[in-house]
């Protein structure tokens, strides 16, 4: 894995200020560039060229989505990015929906052209960790990836495979930004298989 596209889905709106997502995005960009990866970045809320984003995804071996949890999923700006960029990628990001005329009921979702590439979610939530993992709490113990099931499936429709999700929870009541950034750096080093530079270990 060499080329990494970092998508910053942070946005200032209501009680989200976008700063934590900017901070995590910036920390990842710095860490991964220093670790020798080639990086490109897009701040979605600042605007983007749809065709250039298709090219960025084709260039990338890994796409990282940094975004806040808004109403149980991705912000509308990130959903719009997916709708615009993935749709423009018909013929390059995906060939078709994967079915054949002889078996119209089978293999839906297998027409992606990005086999061998990966994507990763890094998400910030007001909800505490327990809300995701405890069967008695709001998300019924289903975990963060169940909450993002359609978002995962959109990326898998292109043929990409997920890397482990990074969840920063309780970020409004207890931001603990230094610890959140340190955990994220450790997560990136672990999933990408490199050693954190000295002083960069989880605190
Ligand atoms: C429309 C909407 C819907 C939402 N829906 C949900 C939902 O369904 N579930 C849920 O759990 N949450 C929900 N939220 C909350 C949302 O997930 C959080 O507001 C968001 O994750 C915070 O990310 P941010 O980048 O905007 O952080 P910010 O608002 O920028 O920062 C969060 C805190 O961290 C501090 N901080 C950030 N960066 C730094 C830094 N570099 N140094 C020091 N301190 C820093 C800030 O001062 C603040 O206290 C929703 C929010 C909105 C606006």
């Amino acid at each position: 894995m060499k080329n990494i596209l970092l998508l910053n889905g942070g946005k200032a709106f209501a009680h989200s200020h976008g700063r934590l997502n900017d901070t995590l995005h910036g920390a990842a960009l710095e860490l991964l560039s220093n670790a020798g990866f080639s990086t490109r970045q897009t701040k979605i809320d600042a605007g983007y060229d749809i065709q250039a984003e298709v090219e960025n995804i084709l260039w990338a071996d890994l796409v990282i989505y940094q975004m806040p949890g808004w109403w149980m999923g991705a912000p509308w700006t990130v959903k719009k990015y997916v709708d615009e960029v993935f749709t423009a990628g018909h013929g390059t990001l995906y060939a078709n929906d994967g079915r054949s005329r002889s078996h119209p009921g089978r293999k839906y979702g297998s027409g992606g052209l990005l086999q061998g590439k990966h994507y990763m979610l890094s998400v910030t939530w007001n909800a505490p960790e327990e809300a995701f993992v405890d069967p008695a709490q709001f998300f019924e113990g289903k975990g963060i990836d169940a909450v993002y099931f359609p978002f995962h499936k959109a990326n898998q429709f292109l043929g990409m495979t997920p890397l482990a999700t990074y969840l920063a929870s309780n970020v409004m009541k207890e931001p603990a930004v230094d610890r959140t950034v340190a955990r994220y750096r450790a997560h990136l080093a672990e999933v990408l298989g490199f050693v954190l530079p000295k002083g960069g270990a989880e605190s």
Side-chain angles (χ1 to χ4, degrees):
M1 206 175 292
K2 186 166 148 279
N3 299 338
I4 302 183
L5 173 64
L6 295 109
L7 300 176
N8 181 357
K11 177 178 173 63
F13 175 71
H15 48 286
S16 277
H17 303 106
R19 192 169 158 221
L20 182 60
N21 278 272
D22 282 350
T23 302
L24 289 166
H25 170 83
L29 188 66
E30 185 188 8
L31 177 70
L32 297 173
S33 305
N34 289 342
F37 295 96
S38 295
T39 55
R40 292 185 187 176
Q41 59 167 322
T42 302
K43 172 139 184 157
I44 290 174
D45 196 41
Y48 49 85
D49 178 280
I50 294 170
Q51 205 49 48
E53 292 306 309
V54 172
E55 296 302 325
N56 279 342
I57 293 175
L58 287 169
W59 166 86
D61 301 308
L62 167 65
V63 179
I64 297 180
Y65 294 91
Q66 177 64 56
M67 57 186 164
W70 280 6
W71 285 111
M72 315 309 146
W76 81 84
T77 44
V78 178
K79 178 64 166 71
K80 179 169 179 278
Y81 176 98
V82 166
D83 288 350
E84 291 179 337
V85 176
F86 287 16
T87 304
H90 190 189
T92 52
L93 302 181
Y94 69 99
N96 49 47
D97 77 10
R99 294 178 294 173
S100 62
R101 282 188 207 289
S102 49
H103 295 292
R106 289 192 217 152
K107 296 207 163 181
Y108 173 80
S110 65
L113 296 172
L114 303 187
Q115 268 77 22
K117 293 173 183 271
H118 292 82
Y119 71 94
M120 196 196 96
L121 312 189
S122 171
V123 293
T124 64
W125 283 70
N126 180 40
E129 177 87 25
E130 291 83 346
F132 299 96
V133 297
D134 180 346
Q137 298 296 320
F138 189 68
F139 293 111
E140 305 168 19
K142 292 185 164 71
I144 186 66
D145 291 306
V147 177
Y148 284 95
F149 189 72
F151 198 89
H152 277 297
K153 284 295 157 193
N155 282 274
Q156 291 164 19
F157 192 93
L158 304 187
M160 291 193 282
T161 307
L163 296 183
T165 299
Y166 179 69
L167 168 64
S169 55
N170 214 13
V171 300
M172 291 171 71
K173 285 206 169 55
E174 198 191 328
V177 175
D178 288 349
R179 186 152 43 89
T180 299
V181 169
R183 277 182 50 234
Y184 185 36
R185 286 165 52 89
H187 177 90
L188 287 169
E190 188 182 340
V191 296
L192 292 173
F194 65 90
V195 178
L196 271 185
K198 234 176 170 211
E202 187 176 351
S203 56

